[in-house]
Structures are given as structure tokens and as C-alpha cells.
Amino acid sequence: MGYSSELGNELLRENIAHMLSQYRGIPVQADEILITRGSQMALYLTALSLIQPGDVVLIENPGYAPAWQVLRQAGAQLIPIPVDDEGIQIEAVESVCRRTSVKALLTTPQHQFPTTVTLKADRRMALLELSHQYGFTIIEDDYDHEFHYGTKVPLPLASFAHGGPILYISSLSKLIAPAVRIGFVTGPPAFIQAAATLRSIIDRQGDNVLEQAVAELMQAGEIQKHARRALNVYRQRHAQTHQFLQQYLADAVTYRVPEGGLAYWIRFNQSRNIPELTKQLQQQGVSVIDTDAFSYEGAGLNALRIGFASLTSPEMEQVLQVLQKTL
Amino acid sequence: MGYSSELGNELLRENIAHMLSQYRGIPVQADEILITRGSQMALYLTALSLIQPGDVVLIENPGYAPAWQVLRQAGAQLIPIPVDDEGIQIEAVESVCRRTSVKALLTTPQHQFPTTVTLKADRRMALLELSHQYGFTIIEDDYDHEFHYGTKVPLPLASFAHGGPILYISSLSKLIAPAVRIGFVTGPPAFIQAAATLRSIIDRQGDNVLEQAVAELMQAGEIQKHARRALNVYRQRHAQTHQFLQQYLADAVTYRVPEGGLAYWIRFNQSRNIPELTKQLQQQGVSVIDTDAFSYEGAGLNALRIGFASLTSPEMEQVLQVLQKTL
């Protein structure tokens, strides 16, 4: 219950190092990991340690707006890169690199936020190649790695050694519960040390009791068992959502079945006022996020992100019936 | 276990508001309080919300070096103000105000860190007057308010309404346990909103489960009971430490009996090499902090801070015997 290491609980770092080495192809030691309060703080510490005011950082568009706020807070100049059905567009990355010095690129290759697209293998290789060639750092946010439904789970970019430096951010919050704020970042020792120093300035230490408890659960294999059970539940919900989307909204929307993650990204065939639709749904008890915030330009994306993690089959059916009726 | 308000748990904010109104003379509402991960984060959010790069901030010297790091991180230009046996020197504050524009002053009036001095009443009034006259913000860090042994507990500066703006930071960590990272800051609504927005960027939310638990313990009066018991234990340890200091070190050191807090500040009558002494004590199992870090100029303070909170009477006797022998 006293003061503890600024890197976070050691047993937890050992268990995360083991998980990354064994299951994600990222060979790291416990002292190359900094535990944080969720991936948001991991990104904040990463951004402030890496970025000097004025540095150019490429971001995915559409993307995770709270991450843009963090990068801007660090003084970054953001350049949006379009995302299509195969993930972030490599030509656009290269085009920017050719005309300006790029410090870093923030990407969510496993399940792109918000579009859910898994970055295709050839694009992964091309991105690593570009980071090597132009010397930019890849910040990889792998926020829900565990939840992938295909037979082949892609390895993180950070598992490939031949690119430039990669700072890899992930989280246990999606696996355990949003309120369990445990994220982490791995990277070169000098970076981890800088980030840890900053962390001690912001927030002296993490929750050592919680971290020890989670570490012991990982050590005993309980977290892994929970992950397998959760994956089975989510796989069912993933399939059911597809079925209900076909049943109720096949004519109204276009979507790709996501390879993983906890949401569908559905695009409306007709032009819709998304803020208005969001409000109407909320009045009927259906809570959805206004997706226009995910557009860098603030332009309408004419899409919704349908999260299925916390909805039972009857609940999801009801949600999509309400959506159908509202449309 | 889901996502929660960026201001922190509402029941906890209500209970803290009640505590501040009833026991510390600070009439605030629950929505004027931002819960943080300990007072370190409260200061970080305060500094980044208040300070523009280049702003002049006055700090106490000697003082709490980690706070200086936070202020520098926010871009502040620090000017140290000497602390004497009555607290921060008002003339020095006024002298700086006369020649330059001062944005803020960081102070620990209740039990100055590290010297333990309680700021005298006339200086409190003078400081409030200066903040009003020169328009600087007082950042009051009241990190161990509960532990005061005199019959009259001074009210925080923030309880006096006639000064300039006061941002009041405090913590429950000293009261419950270092690992229970619950701090808070109160201030004008616009400030709290700015700090809360920044908080959501850094660290989406606090530990809602912990905050709810602590709130329920406050609501039931358990925290207050614990505070009274702890105060009694600490009052005894405070008196015993004085007794042992007289018994073993009366000739070697000079000190004032602190009115409150959890440590004695002892100054050596002869000049000592404090880093070396610190090392020698640590080799004998006595953990003390190298106090030279508390000096803004890095000059030797020729003093030690003897914390008594976690030591039983026989342990403290042993510690001071070891110190006597080592001297």
C-alpha cells in the first residue's frame, strides 16, 4: 500500500512481457514496459516524450479523435491519411513523406478505429518499409488485440524488426473492464525511461494493488481463461449482429464484416443527418456515438459504429429494429 | 465498472464538498471539485491549465522539488522565495511582484514542505492581500491538513474570500494510504472545466470503484473515525520523536516542534555532508531522503526530514540512536 516503481508493478510487467513475447511476437523484457492508467495515458506519455512542438504526425482519417487531442497537446502538427477498405492508404503516407519530414505515424492496424478494418498484410510491410526509409516512428495502438475472429490473427507491426522504431501501446481495459485502467507502452529503453520520468511528474505511480491483483490473475492463467470465454461470447455476438443487420437493414446500409474488434461500421446508402439520427436514437434509449467527430475535417461520414460487446442477442435485435424504424 | 465522469465519482465529490465546507471553511459545490490520481496529478492539471510558457511562478525555497518539475513542464519560469521560521517571506514575494508580473504562487501554508513550518496568521493575511493587489493566483497545496496537533487548526488560505483566485489542492492519500491515489483540486468553474478536459486527454477517468468505496466510507463517517484514530497515533509519535530528539540529539541539532504534519525538520549545528550522511544511514537500514534536492539552488540545507508517521516508538528510538552514533 506504499509508494511503488514509476514503471508499474514488476510482476505485472513480467506477465505482460511474457504475453507479448509468447502470443504477439514482440520479444520484450519487463523493464522495457511502462504500465499506465489505460491506453489514453500511454498515448499521452508517448506523445509528450516523442514529439517536439511543430513535429509532423500522420494520423488515420477517420480516426480516434481523443488521440488527436493528445497529439495536439504535445504540439504535433497533424496530417490526416485516408483509410479505405484495406486500411490506411500507403500511397498517401508516402506522398506526405516525400514532401515533408514526418516524425511519427499513429495507427490502429489490428482493428482500425472507427472503421474496424484490419490492415492488409502487404500494406503492413509497405508501412514498415516507409518508416525505415523515411525514419519516422510508428505509434501502434493495439487496443483490442485479443478479439479477432478469423483463423489467422495478424501479428502487430511491432513484431516485425525490420522497420523503424515502433512504440507499441495496448491495454487490458477492453479485456477486463473499462474501469480497470491498465494500459502499457513498450519501446526502446531510453524512450521508456523518458516516459516513466514524465509519468512520475504527472501521476507519481499507478494502482499497485490493482496491478498486483491483475498480475496474479495473469500468472494463474485466469485472465487468459477469461479472454477465451470473452472471445467466444463476442464471436457469437459478432455473428448475431451480422445476421440482424441482414434481417433488418440490408437495404439501408453497406458494411464489411469486421475480422475482429467489438463493433460494426455501417455506412448508410442514403445520405443521413448523423447528429440528428444519433439524437433520435438516444431518445429511444439507444446510445450511439456521433461518428462525425471521427472525421478529421468534421465532414459527415454517413455511418454509425454499432458496438456489440455489451449487448445480448435480444438487445441487439431490439437496437437494430429501433434503427430500422427510425430510418 | 464502465466509463465515468471526468470530474470523478459524484458521491465522492459531494462528500469532499461537504468536508471542505464543514471542516475547512471552503464553501464549494460538488461540481467545483475535480478528483485526480493524488495531489501530484492535481498539481499537473492545475499547472497546465493555468500557466502559459514563460509565466512567472513563485515557489517556496526550500520546497517540494517534484512540484517544481511539474511547473517547469508547464513552461513556468520559477522564482524561489525564501522560507523562514514563520513560513514564506512576504517581503520577498512583494519585492518580486514590484519588479515583474507574477502569474501564480505555489505554497504549502499548513505544514510547509520540507521545513514543516505553519505559516503565521499575519503572513497569511499579507499574502492574500498581495495576491489581490498584484493579481496572481495562489496555488495552495494542503497535502496533510488533517494532521495538526495544536488546539487551533489554521484554516486554509482558500477559506478567505478577499484575496485573488485560489486553486486549492489536497489529497486523501496521506489519510488512507500512499497507494490510494485520490487527490482533488477546487477552483472557479471555468478552471475546473479546463482541468477536467485536460484530465480526460491524459487519463480518461479515475478509479470509479475505489472512489465510490471511499465515498461510501466518508458518507458512513468511517474515514473521519480513521482520521481521528490516526491523529491520536500521530500525536503520540510527534511527542515521542521530540522526546527522543532531546534524549539523543539535543547537542547536535536545532529544530522547532512542528505544529502539525508527519515529520520533524532538524538542522545540524555543525556542517554535515548530507548526501554522505544519507548514504551511511541507508547502509544501516535507516531510509531518509537527501534533503539537498529540496534546495532550489541545490545548496546544502544541512538538515534532515525525520518522518515519524510509520515508526513505532521503539523504531524511532532506534533510528535516532543510529543517527547519533553515525554523527
Side-chain angles (χ1 to χ4, degrees):
Chain A
M1 293 292 281
Y3 294 112
S4 59
S5 162
E6 58 200 12
L7 287 179
N9 180 283
E10 195 177 346
L11 185 65
L12 182 58
R13 285 185 284 118
E14 283 167 8
N15 274 278
I16 289 174
H18 180 264
M19 173 182 84
L20 294 181
S21 305
Q22 299 291 307
Y23 299 101
R24 300 193 194 178
I26 308 172
V28 293
Q29 304 296 318
D31 58 3
E32 294 167 307
I33 294 172
L34 171 63
I35 310 283
T36 62
R37 312 269 193 186
S39 59
Q40 182 84 7
M41 184 185 277
L43 180 63
Y44 184 81
L45 297 176
T46 298
L48 263 75
S49 304
L50 179 71
I51 294 160
Q52 299 295 321
D55 280 352
V56 169
V57 177
L58 310 186
I59 48 114
E60 297 171 333
N61 184 28
Y64 186 59
W68 304 340
Q69 284 186 292
V70 172
L71 294 167
R72 284 196 191 104
Q73 182 75 26
Q77 184 195 332
L78 304 185
I79 298 184
I81 304 293
V83 171
D84 64 27
D85 280 353
E86 301 195 335
I88 191 167
Q89 289 181 359
I90 301 300
E91 299 72 25
V93 174
E94 188 163 16
S95 160
V96 176
C97 287
R98 265 199 232 103
R99 66 174 196 263
T100 190
S101 170
V102 172
K103 178 71 182 178
L105 174 144
L106 173 64
T107 181
T108 51
Q110 198 73 351
H111 312 119
Q112 203 271 336
F113 190 94
T115 67
T116 78
V117 175
T118 299
L119 189 64
K120 289 293 163 292
D122 56 337
R123 291 200 183 184
R124 287 172 183 246
M125 293 305 122
L127 196 56
L128 291 165
E129 197 50 54
L130 285 179
S131 83
H132 183 61
Q133 185 180 346
Y134 291 99
F136 63 80
T137 299
I138 294 176
I139 306 171
E140 180 175 21
D141 183 357
D142 196 12
Y143 62 93
D144 60 358
H145 184 90
E146 295 82 359
F147 306 124
H148 204 82
Y149 314 111
T151 45
K152 268 186 68 179
V153 182
L155 288 174
L157 295 172
S159 70
F160 297 90
H162 62 276
I166 300 186
L167 306 176
Y168 178 80
I169 292 171
S170 191
S171 166
L172 302 177
S173 302
K174 288 268 183 274
L175 181 55
I176 305 176
V180 176
R181 307 298 301 158
I182 298 185
F184 57 89
V185 56
T186 73
F191 162 79
I192 291 295
Q193 201 44 61
T197 299
L198 181 61
R199 194 258 160 79
S200 72
I201 290 176
I202 293 176
D203 169 33
R204 183 166 180 144
Q205 66 185 33
D207 185 338
N208 195 39
V209 176
L210 177 68
E211 291 175 13
Q212 177 72 23
V214 170
E216 289 175 14
L217 287 171
M218 286 181 89
Q219 186 96 328
E222 290 297 331
I223 296 287
Q224 297 82 328
K225 263 192 240 170
H226 172 71
R228 279 198 296 275
R229 281 193 297 261
L231 182 64
N232 283 333
V233 171
Y234 293 151
R235 182 180 276 120
Q236 278 179 16
R237 291 180 179 182
H238 172 261
Q240 276 160 0
T241 304
H242 179 37
Q243 184 195 313
F244 291 134
L245 281 168
Q246 286 300 316
Q247 190 172 343
Y248 297 108
L249 292 157
D251 297 339
V253 306
T254 305
Y255 63 93
R256 289 169 58 98
V257 178
E259 294 179 32
L262 303 171
Y264 277 69
W265 180 249
I266 61 170
R267 277 174 285 200
F268 295 103
N269 296 334
Q270 287 177 39
S271 176
R272 305 279 175 181
N273 181 333
I274 299 296
E276 182 58 31
L277 178 60
T278 302
K279 206 179 297 172
Q280 286 172 356
L281 290 172
Q282 267 157 357
Q283 281 160 357
Q284 294 168 87
V286 174
S287 173
V288 288
I289 312 171
D290 178 2
T291 55
D292 286 2
F294 304 141
S295 158
Y296 188 78
E297 303 83 4
L301 294 170
N302 206 34
L304 282 185
R305 195 172 144 92
I306 306 289
F308 57 78
S310 61
L311 298 184
T312 61
S313 175
E315 284 168 345
M316 180 55 82
E317 182 166 21
Q318 208 185 337
V319 159
L320 296 184
Q321 282 173 331
V322 169
L323 177 55
Q324 181 195 37
K325 205 186 70 195
T326 309
L327 291 175
Chain B
M1 293 291 281
Y3 294 112
S4 58
S5 163
E6 58 199 12
L7 287 180
N9 180 283
E10 194 177 347
L11 186 63
L12 182 59
R13 286 186 283 117
E14 283 167 8
N15 275 277
I16 288 175
H18 180 263
M19 174 183 81
L20 293 181
S21 305
Q22 298 291 307
Y23 299 100
R24 302 194 193 177
I26 308 172
V28 294
Q29 304 296 318
D31 59 2
E32 294 167 306
I33 293 172
L34 171 63
I35 309 283
T36 62
R37 311 271 193 186
S39 59
Q40 182 83 10
M41 184 184 278
L43 181 62
Y44 184 82
L45 298 174
T46 299
L48 263 75
S49 304
L50 179 70
I51 294 161
Q52 299 294 321
D55 279 353
V56 170
V57 177
L58 310 187
I59 48 116
E60 297 171 332
N61 184 31
Y64 186 58
W68 304 340
Q69 284 185 292
V70 172
L71 294 167
R72 285 196 191 104
Q73 182 75 29
Q77 182 195 336
L78 303 185
I79 297 184
I81 303 294
V83 170
D84 63 26
D85 280 353
E86 300 195 335
I88 192 167
Q89 290 181 358
I90 300 302
E91 298 73 23
V93 173
E94 188 162 16
S95 161
V96 175
C97 287
R98 263 197 233 104
R99 66 173 196 265
T100 188
S101 170
V102 171
K103 179 68 181 182
L105 174 144
L106 173 64
T107 181
T108 51
Q110 197 74 352
H111 311 121
Q112 202 272 334
F113 190 95
T115 66
T116 78
V117 175
T118 299
L119 189 64
K120 290 292 162 295
D122 55 338
R123 291 200 183 183
R124 288 174 183 246
M125 292 307 122
L127 196 57
L128 291 164
E129 196 50 55
L130 285 179
S131 82
H132 184 61
Q133 186 179 344
Y134 290 100
F136 63 80
T137 298
I138 294 176
I139 306 171
E140 180 175 22
D141 183 357
D142 196 11
Y143 61 95
D144 59 359
H145 184 90
E146 295 84 0
F147 305 125
H148 204 82
Y149 313 112
T151 45
K152 267 185 70 181
V153 181
L155 288 175
L157 294 172
S159 69
F160 297 91
H162 62 278
I166 300 187
L167 306 175
Y168 178 79
I169 293 172
S170 192
S171 166
L172 302 177
S173 301
K174 288 267 181 273
L175 180 56
I176 304 176
V180 175
R181 309 298 301 158
I182 298 185
F184 56 89
V185 56
T186 72
F191 162 80
I192 291 296
Q193 201 42 62
T197 299
L198 180 60
R199 194 257 161 78
S200 72
I201 290 176
I202 294 178
D203 168 34
R204 182 164 181 149
Q205 65 185 32
D207 184 339
N208 196 39
V209 176
L210 177 68
E211 291 175 13
Q212 178 73 23
V214 170
E216 288 176 14
L217 287 171
M218 286 182 89
Q219 185 96 327
E222 291 296 330
I223 296 286
Q224 297 84 330
K225 264 193 239 169
H226 171 71
R228 278 198 296 275
R229 281 193 298 260
L231 181 63
N232 283 333
V233 171
Y234 293 150
R235 183 179 275 120
Q236 278 178 16
R237 292 183 177 182
H238 172 262
Q240 277 159 0
T241 303
H242 179 36
Q243 185 196 313
F244 291 133
L245 281 169
Q246 286 300 315
Q247 190 173 342
Y248 297 108
L249 292 158
D251 298 338
V253 305
T254 304
Y255 64 92
R256 290 168 58 100
V257 178
E259 294 179 31
L262 303 171
Y264 277 68
W265 180 248
I266 59 171
R267 277 173 285 200
F268 295 103
N269 296 335
Q270 287 175 37
S271 177
R272 306 279 176 182
N273 182 332
I274 299 297
E276 182 57 31
L277 178 60
T278 302
K279 209 180 293 172
Q280 285 172 357
L281 290 172
Q282 266 158 358
Q283 280 160 359
Q284 296 169 85
V286 174
S287 172
V288 288
I289 312 171
D290 178 3
T291 55
D292 286 3
F294 305 142
S295 157
Y296 188 77
E297 303 83 5
L301 294 170
N302 205 35
L304 281 185
R305 196 173 144 93
I306 306 288
F308 57 76
S310 61
L311 299 184
T312 62
S313 175
E315 285 167 345
M316 180 54 83
E317 182 166 20
Q318 208 186 336
V319 159
L320 296 184
Q321 282 172 332
V322 168
L323 178 55
Q324 182 196 35
K325 206 186 69 195
T326 309
L327 292 176

